[in-house]
């Protein structure tokens, strides 16, 4: 009976949402008009992760896109994001703004690093900082997949908390 609304692109958010959908949640994913970059990197993986997810293209930089988003927010229990906080705030989609308009929501924000959430970073960056890389690129996305698992846990914890709860998950963490 849990309804998810995701803005999360690339790997961690879609992996987390796929896991929650596999356990019975319903999910709607908002994608920019250009789509999720993961679809270009690996269409089969993208398709597998989005099975059972309703994908809605919306341009959230335009009023019409933001207006179309409001009914979806009204029906969601949890919002999952993976953008930098400043970018979400410019769109009026910060956790505080979302909860102010829709007090029933809970928010799980996936960021690169909880200590510096505005600094861009990626799985390979965090593996390199941890000394896990050698001459070749990694065979798997350790930080992305661990972040996805942490995001699933954060959603489950948020559902046990009062409406308005917000959890931040850092991939570097």
């Amino acid at each position: 009976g849990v309804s998810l609304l995701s803005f999360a692109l690339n790997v961690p958010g879609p992996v987390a949402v796929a896991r929650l959908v596999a356990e019975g949640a319903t999910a709607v994913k908002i994608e920019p008009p250009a789509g999720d970059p993961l679809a270009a990197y690996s269409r089969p993986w993208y398709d597998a992760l989005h099975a059972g997810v309703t994908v809605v293209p919306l341009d959230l930089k335009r009023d019409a896109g933001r207006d179309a988003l409001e009914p979806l927010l009204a029906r969601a229990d949890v919002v999952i994001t993976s953008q930098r906080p400043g970018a979400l705030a410019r769109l009026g989609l910060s956790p505080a703004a979302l909860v102010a308009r829709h007090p029933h929501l809970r928010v799980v924000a996936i960021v690169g690093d909880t200590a510096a959430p505005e600094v861009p970073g990626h799985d390979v960056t965090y593996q390199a900082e941890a000394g896990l890389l050698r001459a070749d690129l990694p065979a798997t996305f350790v930080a992305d997949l661990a972040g996805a698992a942490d995001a699933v846990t954060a959603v489950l914890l948020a559902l046990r908390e009062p409406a308005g709860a917000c959890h931040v998950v850092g991939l570097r963490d």
Side-chain angles (χ1 to χ4, degrees):
V2 174
S3 177
L4 307 170
L5 180 64
S6 176
F7 306 128
L9 304 175
N10 293 313
V11 176
V15 169
V17 169
R19 172 68 180 161
L20 293 161
V21 166
E23 295 301 326
T26 60
V28 174
K29 181 181 178 198
I30 305 303
E31 291 188 3
D36 186 332
L38 181 59
Y41 301 143
S42 177
R43 188 68 201 204
W45 195 22
Y46 172 92
D47 289 342
L49 292 176
H50 291 80
V53 175
T54 301
V55 177
V56 177
L58 286 179
D59 187 348
L60 298 177
K61 294 180 180 179
R62 301 198 180 282
D63 290 340
R66 288 189 300 274
D67 290 345
L69 177 65
E70 290 303 309
L72 299 172
L73 288 165
R75 291 191 297 267
D77 299 306
V78 180
V79 171
I80 301 173
T81 68
S82 67
Q83 294 79 6
R84 285 177 272 182
L88 291 170
R90 285 189 295 278
L91 296 171
L93 301 175
S94 68
L98 290 172
V99 171
R101 291 195 313 276
H102 301 279
H104 69 283
L105 285 176
R106 291 153 178 91
V107 179
V108 172
I110 302 169
V111 298
D113 183 352
T114 56
E118 294 294 345
V119 176
H122 302 281
D123 188 289
V124 173
T125 307
Y126 305 127
Q127 287 194 52
E129 289 174 354
L132 298 175
L133 294 185
R134 301 295 180 252
D136 294 332
L137 287 176
T140 191
F141 300 112
V142 174
D144 283 351
L145 296 177
D150 286 350
V152 168
T153 300
V155 167
L156 296 175
L157 290 171
L159 288 168
R160 296 180 60 147
E161 297 173 356
C166 179
H167 289 260
V168 180
V169 172
L171 301 180
R172 184 173 188 263
D173 301 8

